[in-house]
Amino acid sequence: MASMPYNINLDVKFAPLEQIDVRQLDRENEPWFNQTLTQVNDCVVRLGILHGEFHWHKHDDEDEFFFVVEGLLLVDLEDRTVELGPKQGITVPKGVVHRTRAPQRTTILMFEGAGVVPTGD
């Protein structure tokens, strides 16, 4: 899989008490779409609709949680690859070099600090 362009949207799409409906965010023709859905305290919930691979990176000060809604997500670490299917997740601790790959169209939720830079430090 070749590297793909990323469409990362950091704006908060849904306010507190507003119904979140991700069907309106579906991106059929975009290989890597990421939208911040809402903010919860000092964290954000992001939706990722992915097909392809992200670059190797790390977050020096923030943990990152990935949860697969549908599809298959591979989380590459320096010493292994973790394969996640629907209803599975993983927390990548701060400072750990990683990359994510989706060999097929995959929908994930990410939970991370609101100040995290998605492309890494």
Side-chain angles (χ1 to χ4, degrees):
M1 270 178 285
S3 293
M4 303 280 185
Y6 315 132
N7 181 355
I8 299 174
N9 301 281
L10 301 179
D11 61 301
V12 176
K13 192 74 171 172
F14 300 96
L17 300 178
E18 185 177 354
Q19 182 182 28
I20 297 172
D21 185 353
V22 298
R23 291 176 292 190
Q24 66 182 284
L25 300 175
D26 195 22
R27 299 290 205 259
E28 287 293 327
N29 298 320
E30 287 187 63
W32 201 276
F33 175 76
N34 183 326
Q35 174 67 57
T36 301
L37 296 177
T38 191
Q39 185 162 348
V40 181
N41 299 317
D42 295 334
C43 295
V44 290
V45 179
R46 293 194 170 110
L47 171 74
I49 303 172
L50 323 170
H51 187 193
E53 64 185 42
F54 208 66
H55 62 272
W56 286 95
H57 68 285
K58 66 182 174 81
H59 306 282
D60 291 328
D61 300 317
E62 304 278 350
D63 298 338
E64 190 172 27
F65 175 73
F66 299 96
F67 183 81
V68 177
V69 176
E70 62 184 18
L72 174 67
L73 184 70
L74 305 174
V75 180
D76 293 324
L77 306 169
E78 290 180 303
D79 62 343
R80 65 187 169 114
T81 297
V82 178
E83 185 174 306
L84 300 173
K87 301 182 183 179
Q88 294 181 319
I90 190 171
T91 299
V92 177
K94 62 185 172 188
V96 172
V97 176
H98 64 285
R99 76 170 174 178
T100 51
R101 295 183 288 135
Q104 63 192 54
R105 186 173 162 79
T106 298
T107 303
I108 65 171
L109 291 174
M110 295 159 280
F111 301 84
E112 53 202 11
V116 75
V117 177
T119 54
D121 295 330

